């Protein structure tokens, strides 16, 4: 196992570098970079005779146009005065030290930006993650035990209809129905907390928080129920039809004993092994459309704005963090097989 773990950790390095290299190469051919956007802003604002370093404070002074010296200063300011290959290797060195650089437009470090936006995405992601598991596993087990019954057909129809409705469409419907759009004003329209949240007591703060997240979490969760529920049902059905279940029944064991002592433990293996990836991924699953719809300033909105504004340090820094965590989550998922089933071997040939 130690050999396998070391090999996987070493393979993460070229995978991570390859993803960053492809993204960095694509960025070089995308028009409208930060220098071009600043030049356009300065030109339309009528700036001339000012250095690029002083440009933000002198947008409304001078004549139109930038001199070559000012254009060169802008390139130096944004780090584009170096060849692309040199900039890429400088970025890798900084990332190796977990220095994600400075945002072009937010004027703060990329790491601080991610940490600042993380609570919103954590709220959506973690609540969606826990509710999905808490609802889907019991529902999937119940459907497997009652396979083919009216309960199975009705619940399958309901979750498939919910799966077919996009999350943002459901969010709009919830706002119209319960957010004061046309019917009832039962839930707030935006934000995670009320304006007077700091003045509330501990219990009132918790209730206010749950009141605000009810609609966005519902919109994010409903569409995820179908896949996990049907996966749970199919896994349990496969286990229920195995020979050891018929043998246990022949020995006189009750259905509950067979289900919870034998079937449940074996059927949960494929579900538990996906737990690490789903848990880590929950921190970054905030939907851009859900965040925009409910005015939640999270990582989804940050990533979208950084792409539109060509804020390359934020694009590359967030990609680095997400990719690294994704690779770690995949490794933990593989290792969890050994934890839930000691018979699994990572050595070649199963030895």
């Amino acid at each position: 196992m130690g050999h396998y773990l070391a090999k996987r950790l070493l393979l993460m390095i070229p995978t991570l570098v390859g993803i960053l290299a492809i993204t960095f190469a694509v960025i070089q051919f995308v028009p409208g970079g930060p220098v071009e956007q600043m030049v356009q802003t300065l030109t339309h604002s009528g700036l001339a005779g000012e250095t690029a370093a002083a440009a933000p404070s002198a947008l409304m002074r001078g004549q139109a146009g930038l001199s070559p010296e000012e254009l060169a200063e802008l390139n130096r300011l944004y780090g584009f005065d170096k060849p692309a290959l040199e900039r890429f290797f400088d970025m890798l060195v900084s990332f190796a030290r977990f220095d994600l650089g400075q945002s072009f437009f937010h004027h703060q470090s990329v790491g601080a930006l991610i940490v600042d936006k993380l609570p919103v995405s954590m709220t959506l992601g973690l609540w969606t993650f826990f509710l999905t598991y808490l609802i889907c596993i019991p529902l999937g087990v119940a459907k497997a035990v009652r396979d083919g019954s009216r309960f199975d057909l009705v619940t399958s129809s309901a979750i498939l209809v919910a799966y077919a409705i996009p999350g943002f469409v459901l969010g709009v419907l919830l706002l119209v129905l319960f957010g004061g759009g046309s019917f009832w004003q039962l839930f707030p329209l935006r934000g995670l907390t009320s304006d007077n949240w700091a003045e509330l007591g501990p219990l009132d703060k918790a209730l206010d928080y749950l009141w605000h997240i009810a609609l966005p979490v519902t919109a994010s969760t409903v569409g995820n129920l179908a896949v996990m529920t049907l996966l749970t049902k199919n896994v349990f059905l496969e286990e229920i039809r195995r020979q050891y279940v018929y043998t246990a029944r022949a020995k006189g064991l009750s259905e509950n004993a067979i289900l919870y002592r034998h079937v449940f433990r074996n059927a949960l293996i494929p579900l538990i092994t996906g737990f690490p990836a789903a848990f880590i991924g929950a921190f970054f699953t905030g939907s851009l459309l859900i965040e925009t719809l409910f005015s939640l300033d999270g990582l989804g909105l940050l990533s979208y704005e950084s792409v539109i504004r060509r804020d390359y340090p934020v694009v590359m820094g967030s990609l680095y963090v997400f990719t690294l965590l994704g690779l770690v989550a995949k490794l933990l998922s593989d290792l969890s097989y050994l934890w839930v089933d000691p018979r699994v071997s990572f050595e070649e040939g199963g030895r």
Side-chain angles (χ1 to χ4, degrees):
M1 178 178 174
H3 175 71
Y4 172 82
L5 182 61
K7 182 172 67 174
R8 286 292 301 272
L9 291 174
L10 290 176
L11 285 175
M12 285 184 184
I13 298 176
T15 303
L16 184 60
V17 173
I19 293 174
L20 292 174
I22 294 173
T23 306
F24 186 85
V26 171
I27 284 176
Q28 306 310 306
F29 299 100
V30 176
V35 174
E36 289 83 356
Q37 292 189 23
M38 180 59 73
V39 169
Q40 185 179 17
T41 300
L42 299 179
T43 301
H44 289 171
S45 301
L47 175 70
E50 303 284 351
T51 61
S57 62
L59 287 178
M60 303 305 297
R61 301 197 301 271
Q63 329 170 27
L66 290 175
S67 67
E69 292 78 13
E70 289 171 328
L71 186 59
E73 181 66 15
L74 270 179
N75 280 283
R76 186 199 64 77
L77 187 65
Y78 288 113
F80 292 101
D81 56 329
K82 300 177 182 179
L85 193 59
E86 182 179 351
R87 286 188 281 115
F88 177 71
F89 282 110
D90 289 344
M91 181 189 71
L92 291 182
V93 172
S94 298
F95 284 179
R97 302 194 301 263
F98 289 95
D99 178 9
L100 305 182
Q102 296 286 322
S103 169
F104 290 155
F105 298 99
H106 293 277
H107 306 296
Q108 65 180 117
S109 69
V110 176
L113 272 175
I114 293 177
V115 171
D116 183 53
K117 308 296 183 183
L118 188 58
V120 173
S121 296
M122 285 177 58
T123 292
L124 287 176
L126 290 179
W127 277 107
T128 300
F129 167 78
F130 285 119
L131 288 176
T132 299
Y133 269 80
L134 289 175
I135 294 173
C136 292
I137 291 181
L139 181 59
V141 173
K143 287 172 63 61
V145 173
R146 299 170 177 83
D147 182 43
S149 66
R150 178 177 297 181
F151 170 81
D152 182 34
L153 296 176
V154 171
T155 53
S156 294
S157 300
I159 62 175
L160 289 177
V161 169
Y163 179 73
I165 302 175
F168 72 94
V169 174
L170 179 60
V172 172
L173 179 62
L174 292 174
L175 284 177
V176 171
L177 290 177
F178 306 112
S182 299
F183 294 91
W184 303 282
Q185 178 66 60
L186 300 179
F187 295 95
L189 292 175
R190 59 179 61 86
L192 290 178
T193 56
S194 300
D195 295 335
N196 64 335
W197 190 78
E199 304 171 3
L200 301 176
L203 179 59
D204 291 332
K205 285 184 177 180
L207 293 176
D208 182 75
Y209 169 74
L210 294 174
W211 182 47
H212 278 76
I213 67 171
L215 294 187
V217 168
T218 300
S220 299
T221 303
V222 168
N224 297 329
L225 298 180
V227 174
M228 182 60 68
T229 300
L230 295 180
L231 174 63
T232 303
K233 174 191 173 182
N234 292 334
V235 169
F236 271 82
L237 275 179
E238 183 179 355
E239 289 297 323
I240 289 173
R241 293 166 179 170
R242 289 187 180 275
Q243 183 62 44
Y244 73 87
V245 174
Y246 296 112
T247 303
R249 285 172 178 164
K251 291 182 178 180
L253 291 179
S254 65
E255 289 297 321
N256 285 337
I258 296 173
L259 180 64
Y260 293 106
R261 291 182 188 177
H262 303 283
V263 174
F264 199 81
R265 180 178 59 184
N266 294 328
L268 280 182
I269 290 178
L271 302 178
I272 293 177
T273 51
F275 190 92
F279 183 79
I280 294 179
F283 287 82
F284 308 101
T285 55
S287 168
L288 166 64
L289 294 173
I290 296 296
E291 290 180 6
T292 304
L293 183 63
F294 292 94
S295 300
L296 304 176
D297 189 11
L299 291 173
L301 191 58
L302 174 66
S303 301
Y304 172 75
E305 289 179 345
S306 64
V307 171
I308 296 300
R309 303 176 71 176
R310 306 295 192 267
D311 197 347
Y312 296 145
V314 177
V315 173
M316 299 302 299
S318 57
L319 176 68
Y320 171 73
V321 172
F322 299 163
T323 305
L324 183 61
L325 289 177
L327 292 173
V328 172
K330 178 60 178 175
L331 176 61
L332 292 177
S333 295
D334 292 343
L335 294 178
S336 63
Y337 276 101
L338 182 63
W339 177 66
V340 298
D341 189 354
R343 297 170 297 177
V344 174
S345 174
F346 293 112
E347 300 298 329
E348 294 184 4
R351 297 192 301 268

